[in-house]
Amino acid sequence: MTALAPARSTRRLVLAGASVLLVALGLVALMVVRPSAASPSGASSQSAPAEDSVDAGFARDMAIHHQQAVEMSFIVRDGTDDEDVRRLAYDIINTQANQRGMMLGWLEMWGLPKSAAGPPMKWMGHTVTPTDDGSLMPGMATDAELAALTAAKDEKAEVLFLRLMTVHHRAGADMAQAAAGAAKTDAIRNLAEGMVRGQQSEIGLMADMLKDRGAKP
């Protein structure tokens, strides 16, 4: 979270993230104790990946990527009364907070650190040099963009949110596509494939919502 997000949104995100992580840890613990009950996509169905693996790198980086999507969704939820935008925001909050908890839970189960020692996206074969604008990875909003979203209200907030989230989803879908093709665990491959489908669907939805507001992506 950045210091620019509203205090109440920050508190809610921290509480939501903590709750989801506890649930995820409980689920993966159950999968370890009862492997026969785990689904084919369960993280316990295969040996733990290495710390520098695609699986671990994706889980760490996408957890950060998802955190900002949840943050932006909380901001717009409080900045507009439009039911369609608020419904989309709720969907993103619930889906991405849950997925983030699953990824952090798997890292915990694998005995791997939840933060990388090096720069992000190394697992994709290239690295991202951190900048001073707050955008840690492709698609992520800058501090200035988050501040603008926080200050905006009603349709202005809706359009800005839809544009920022479209860019965010495109980059997230690219990351997920890479993980789906290169990860070694069924858990990460299956989750990444689902992310690609879900985020591409929401990109189409957001394009229609921007069109309805007379705005371009």
Side-chain angles (χ1 to χ4, degrees):
M1 298 291 292
T2 70
L4 295 171
R8 60 178 176 175
S9 293
T10 302
R11 290 195 297 271
R12 289 169 182 167
L13 179 55
V14 170
L15 291 173
S19 298
V20 171
L21 178 56
L22 287 174
V23 171
L25 289 173
L27 288 174
V28 295
L30 180 61
M31 289 159 61
V32 171
V33 174
R34 300 176 58 192
S36 61
S39 68
S41 63
S44 63
S45 63
Q46 295 167 306
S47 59
E51 184 171 344
D52 61 351
S53 65
V54 168
D55 306 70
F58 173 76
R60 294 186 189 110
D61 287 351
M62 190 57 81
I64 294 171
H65 218 264
H66 272 17
Q67 182 176 353
Q68 190 186 72
V70 173
E71 176 184 355
M72 291 194 293
S73 298
F74 271 123
I75 294 173
V76 78
R77 186 203 64 176
D78 294 339
T80 181
D81 292 327
D82 184 88
E83 288 302 319
D84 290 335
V85 173
R86 286 170 62 87
R87 187 178 300 110
L88 174 62
Y90 276 118
D91 287 345
I92 292 172
I93 290 168
N94 291 331
T95 299
Q96 297 209 10
N98 181 58
Q99 290 175 343
R100 181 173 183 271
M102 290 171 65
M103 290 182 288
L104 294 177
W106 287 333
L107 288 168
E108 179 76 18
M109 188 189 71
W110 293 332
L112 300 176
K114 298 181 182 68
S115 58
M121 302 184 74
K122 186 175 180 181
W123 60 273
M124 288 183 69
H126 62 271
T127 56
V128 176
T129 302
T131 61
D132 295 331
D133 64 4
S135 178
L136 301 179
M137 282 174 274
M140 293 186 69
T142 65
D143 290 340
E145 288 170 334
L146 289 176
L149 180 61
T150 301
K153 299 299 177 185
D154 302 322
E155 188 168 308
K156 185 176 180 180
E158 297 160 19
V159 170
L160 182 55
F161 169 77
L162 292 169
R163 284 174 171 164
L164 291 174
M165 193 59 73
T166 296
V167 175
H168 203 276
H169 271 20
R170 284 174 180 160
D174 287 344
M175 291 170 62
Q177 188 68 63
K184 301 302 182 184
T185 62
D186 291 339
I188 292 296
R189 281 198 306 271
N190 292 340
L191 180 63
E193 288 170 0
M195 285 180 188
V196 173
R197 293 191 297 270
Q199 295 197 19
Q200 287 178 341
S201 176
E202 287 183 345
I203 288 170
L205 172 63
M206 291 188 289
D208 290 339
M209 295 172 76
L210 283 167
K211 184 178 180 180
D212 291 342
R213 290 161 176 77
K216 295 180 180 180

